Amino acid sequence: MHYMALKVEFLEDVTLQMTFQDGKVIRYDMSQMFEKYPQLEELRRNRKLFESGHLDLTGFAVIWNDELDFDATSIYDDGEVVGCVETTLNQQIGFLLAKTRDEMNITQTELSKKSHIDQGDISKIERGIGNPTIAKISKLFKALGRS
């Protein structure tokens, strides 16, 4: 599963904190990746660079420049949960839909064909930016074999 971040904050040293679509707030020390990815050490040497990072347009990665980025799923999986924030109903539905679809190993395109709902609409719903009707939500989960 790919986890979508809504917000990133840059803390002390090379620690960052991300808020995810499911409401989890996760802290992650980037230095644990320096041995595997030596190029990330530049983040410690250059505080201004570290603080210049931002989420990509999809919320699936933190990007510093053309050579430095890091995926949000690794942070979600390996970071420390330090809190939880309230999320909107649309974000919760989107997270549940994406998680269910991922668990069933079905792409958005395949779900689109099964549910007769446009793939672009499914993408917006999963990102929590769509405003689906109850009928559309029901149709999507029915296509996944869930109620």
Side-chain angles (χ1 to χ4, degrees), residues 127-142:
R127 289 182 288 143
I129 61 172
N131 194 18
T133 63
I134 298 288
K136 191 174 276 190
I137 294 166
S138 179
K139 199 172 183 182
L140 286 166
F141 281 97
K142 187 174 183 178

Side-chain angles (χ1 to χ4, degrees), residues 80-143:
E80 174 189 358
V81 178
V82 295
C84 196
V85 296
E86 196 168 316
T87 57
T88 68
L89 182 58
N90 285 351
Q91 289 168 329
Q92 293 169 24
I93 290 167
F95 176 77
L96 182 60
L97 178 62
K99 184 177 179 189
T100 304
R101 185 182 55 73
D102 190 64
E103 287 170 355
M104 299 180 75
N105 202 27
I106 295 174
T107 67
Q108 287 182 352
T109 302
E110 291 168 333
L111 180 56
S112 175
K113 289 176 184 172
K114 285 183 168 198
S115 65
H116 305 286
I117 294 174
D118 185 71
Q119 183 272 326
D121 289 343
I122 294 170
S123 175
K124 287 178 185 174
I125 293 167
E126 288 188 1
R127 289 182 288 143
I129 61 172
N131 194 18
T133 63
I134 298 288
K136 191 174 276 190
I137 294 166
S138 179
K139 199 172 183 182
L140 286 166
F141 281 97
K142 187 174 183 178

Side-chain angles (χ1 to χ4, degrees), residues 9 11 16-28 75-76 79-87:
E9 300 170 77
L11 308 178
L16 51 82
Q17 184 168 289
M18 293 179 84
T19 304
F20 286 85
Q21 187 178 8
D22 64 354
K24 287 184 182 173
V25 178
I26 297 179
R27 198 166 287 169
Y28 188 85
I75 293 167
Y76 188 96
E80 174 189 358
V81 178
V82 295
C84 196
V85 296
E86 196 168 316
T87 57

Side-chain angles (χ1 to χ4, degrees), residues 35-75:
E35 190 172 315
K36 188 172 182 180
Y37 303 107
Q39 67 272 27
L40 290 174
E41 284 195 65
E42 183 61 28
L43 298 174
R44 178 175 282 154
R45 288 191 292 271
N46 185 341
R47 180 72 187 174
K48 193 172 182 177
L49 174 64
F50 178 66
E51 292 177 344
S52 74
H54 60 279
L55 291 174
D56 73 343
L57 294 176
T58 63
F60 293 126
V62 181
I63 297 174
W64 287 276
N65 59 32
D66 289 342
E67 299 169 4
L68 296 176
D69 58 39
F70 200 73
D71 71 292
T73 297
S74 294
I75 293 167

